Amino acid sequence: MPVKDRGGRGGTGTARRPAAAPRGSVPRGAGTGQLRRSYEQARSALDRPLTAYYLLVGSALLITVLGLVMVYSASMIKALEISEPGSFFFRKQLFAAVLGGGLAFIATRMPVKLHRAFAYPLLAGTVFLMVLVQVPGIGRSVNGNQNWISLGGPFMLQPSEFGKLALILWGADLLARKQEKKLLTQWKHMLVPLVPVAFMLLGLIMLGGDMGTAIILTAILFGLLWLAGAPTRMFAMVLGIAAFMTFLLIKTSPNRMGRLACIGATDPGPKDQCWQAVHGIYALASGGWFGSGLGASVEKWGQLPEPHTDFIFAVTGEELGLAGTLSVLGLFAALGYAGIRVAGRTEDPFVRYAAGGVTTWITVQSVINIGAVLGLLPIAGVPLPLFSYGGSALLPTMFAVGLLIAFARSDPAARTALALRRPGVRWKSMRRRVKKRPSGER
């Protein structure tokens, strides 16, 4: 009599085995499980105490080094045009990078109390220098903007670049003290004196005609107000005032109106008013996937204005291709993520405001510069942080990055992890663990 197997069908009494999977096949759900494990591993790596510290150090260092390489490549022809050696701009940028590295190292070693005390003399000195810019015979005009002070010879200083750092440190200390006294629930304490001082800096900057720096400073102000928990109505009021002033400044300036009309332009237009924007697109388009090679840019031979400053990203795309530009974008994204992480995980209000302000500054300025090169935004005349040529922009930015690194190191978990990485501390920790084991345990 036939015996039914497990499947209920008649058979010889032997249960039918499931068919073997073909060789090389992947079990159902294995791909999803692998993705989930990869996601969990990446998440656990990002949650480590030293993640922000290493991201800040690594991304800032790589951006600066790659920027030095691109400044040398993009500025050689410009240097020869003014009868200087091909390494003229590179040597100046290298000197500024070394000096900025020293400032960044000092910033990493300064305690938070010293950063807070440094904010007030920095703000006072910056305002004094910005006033001197407007004094005839002292201030210098470059490309139509009166925002430079000559230091003798080829060295010049742009005080408005230090105004960004001054506003961040002073505003962070101001808001932190008011938060400790629980005064930020009142709108007048949130706005005064932060907004009037910021408007004073904006007025001094706009006297020189530097619209780009004014936009960055406005973004920093909004970032500080957002971190302080400003209500929507207050945001709308300040934003409305800033938008109205921006509209008036653009409408009353034919140069700014021309820059606005060049968004997305593919032709230089009448009188070549969109020449720079169009040739920036030409440089990016001719780079392809991997570029034409370092030093092989065609646009830097007089076709592209400001190839080593405002439009260095275009030369990077031409010589290093899409791979190079995406690498630069990835480094800035890592720097921004690390700054947000530092600001979001701290319990110190000053650290939160200062880290958020610095992250806003670097991120917004990068977006404005790259957006202008891509033809998505009007040309604002701001450099790419840590990347473009210019010592006045590089020095305060490197100090600000050192500030972020100091904040990342000051986190208790990060401080403990760094201490355990020292050889002597690690050996002592292992000896303590061995001594705590029971005598019979191996």
Side-chain angles (χ1 to χ4, degrees), residues 315-345:
V315 179
T316 303
E318 186 179 4
E319 295 188 348
L320 302 183
L322 182 64
T325 55
L326 290 180
S327 299
V328 174
L329 290 176
L331 290 173
F332 276 109
L335 187 62
Y337 168 79
I340 294 173
R341 178 188 170 100
V342 171
R345 295 201 171 193

Side-chain angles (χ1 to χ4, degrees), residues 201-267:
L201 294 174
L202 287 170
L204 291 173
I205 291 172
M206 288 310 301
L207 281 176
D210 191 356
M211 186 74 178
T213 303
I215 293 174
I216 306 300
L217 209 68
T218 304
I220 292 173
L221 173 62
F222 281 120
L224 291 174
L225 289 176
W226 182 79
L227 288 168
T232 307
R233 289 179 298 174
M234 186 181 300
F235 253 109
M237 180 183 68
V238 179
L239 183 61
I241 296 173
F244 178 72
M245 294 176 62
T246 302
F247 173 77
L248 288 180
L249 292 171
I250 293 177
K251 191 68 176 179
T252 56
S253 173
N255 181 33
R256 297 190 185 110
M257 287 294 295
R259 292 187 179 188
L260 194 64
C262 291
I263 297 178
T266 57
D267 184 83

Side-chain angles (χ1 to χ4, degrees), residues 97-111:
V98 172
L99 185 60
L103 291 177
F105 179 78
I106 293 174
T108 60
R109 299 299 175 179
M110 289 172 60

Side-chain angles (χ1 to χ4, degrees), residues 14-376:
T14 304
R16 182 179 298 176
R17 296 180 180 179
R23 182 176 297 180
S25 64
V26 179
R28 183 178 298 177
T32 306
Q34 182 65 31
L35 288 176
R36 186 176 297 131
R37 284 193 296 271
S38 300
Y39 171 76
E40 293 296 335
Q41 290 174 358
R43 185 175 178 178
S44 62
L46 290 177
D47 285 338
R48 292 176 182 174
L50 294 177
T51 296
Y53 173 75
Y54 286 132
L55 283 177
L56 287 169
V57 174
S59 59
L61 183 61
L62 289 174
I63 291 172
T64 305
V65 172
L66 183 57
L68 286 171
V69 174
M70 292 312 304
V71 164
Y72 182 54
S73 176
S75 65
M76 286 189 296
I77 307 304
K78 190 72 174 179
L80 295 175
E81 287 179 356
I82 59 175
S83 301
E84 294 287 352
S87 60
F88 174 72
F89 293 105
F90 168 75
R91 286 186 278 110
K92 292 178 63 177
Q93 186 74 355
L94 180 60
F95 174 76
V98 172
L99 185 60
L103 291 177
F105 179 78
I106 293 174
T108 60
R109 299 299 175 179
M110 289 172 60
V112 173
K113 291 183 179 180
L114 190 56
H115 281 297
R116 299 182 70 166
F118 176 64
Y120 293 86
L122 177 63
L123 179 64
T126 300
V127 171
F128 176 73
L129 291 176
M130 292 174 69
V131 171
L132 285 183
V133 167
Q134 306 304 323
V135 177
I138 299 179
R140 295 284 299 275
S141 178
V142 177
N143 295 330
N145 292 337
Q146 181 83 11
N147 52 8
W148 295 85
I149 293 178
S150 178
L151 300 179
F155 297 98
M156 299 178 67
L157 179 69
Q158 188 177 1
S160 58
E161 291 291 339
F162 293 86
K164 304 170 187 176
L165 179 62
L167 178 62
I168 290 172
L169 289 178
W170 176 80
D173 179 71
L174 175 71
L175 293 174
R177 286 189 291 108
K178 289 194 174 187
Q179 180 175 331
E180 292 168 359
K181 297 178 181 179
K182 299 181 180 180
L183 297 175
L184 291 182
T185 55
Q186 306 175 32
W187 68 269
K188 60 180 180 179
H189 283 287
M190 185 172 292
L191 293 181
V192 181
L194 177 62
V195 174
V197 170
F199 278 13
M200 177 190 65
L201 294 174
L202 287 170
L204 291 173
I205 291 172
M206 288 310 301
L207 281 176
D210 191 356
M211 186 74 178
T213 303
I215 293 174
I216 306 300
L217 209 68
T218 304
I220 292 173
L221 173 62
F222 281 120
L224 291 174
L225 289 176
W226 182 79
L227 288 168
T232 307
R233 289 179 298 174
M234 186 181 300
F235 253 109
M237 180 183 68
V238 179
L239 183 61
I241 296 173
F244 178 72
M245 294 176 62
T246 302
F247 173 77
L248 288 180
L249 292 171
I250 293 177
K251 191 68 176 179
T252 56
S253 173
N255 181 33
R256 297 190 185 110
M257 287 294 295
R259 292 187 179 188
L260 194 64
C262 291
I263 297 178
T266 57
D267 184 83
K271 298 182 181 180
D272 293 333
Q273 65 176 3
C274 298
W275 179 274
Q276 187 175 13
V278 170
H279 279 272
I281 297 296
Y282 289 169
L284 291 171
S286 60
W289 289 99
F290 300 103
S292 57
L294 279 173
S297 170
V298 175
E299 290 293 331
K300 69 183 180 183
W301 286 76
Q303 299 296 323
L304 180 65
E306 307 298 335
H308 58 304
T309 55
D310 301 347
F311 271 69
I312 193 172
F313 189 75
V315 179
T316 303
E318 186 179 4
E319 295 188 348
L320 302 183
L322 182 64
T325 55
L326 290 180
S327 299
V328 174
L329 290 176
L331 290 173
F332 276 109
L335 187 62
Y337 168 79
I340 294 173
R341 178 188 170 100
V342 171
R345 295 201 171 193
T346 183
E347 296 181 358
D348 189 332
F350 172 79
V351 173
R352 181 170 64 254
Y353 295 134
V358 171
T359 306
T360 302
W361 164 19
I362 295 177
T363 304
V364 171
Q365 186 165 327
S366 303
V367 170
I368 290 176
N369 177 276
I370 295 173
V373 174
L374 295 175
L376 303 176

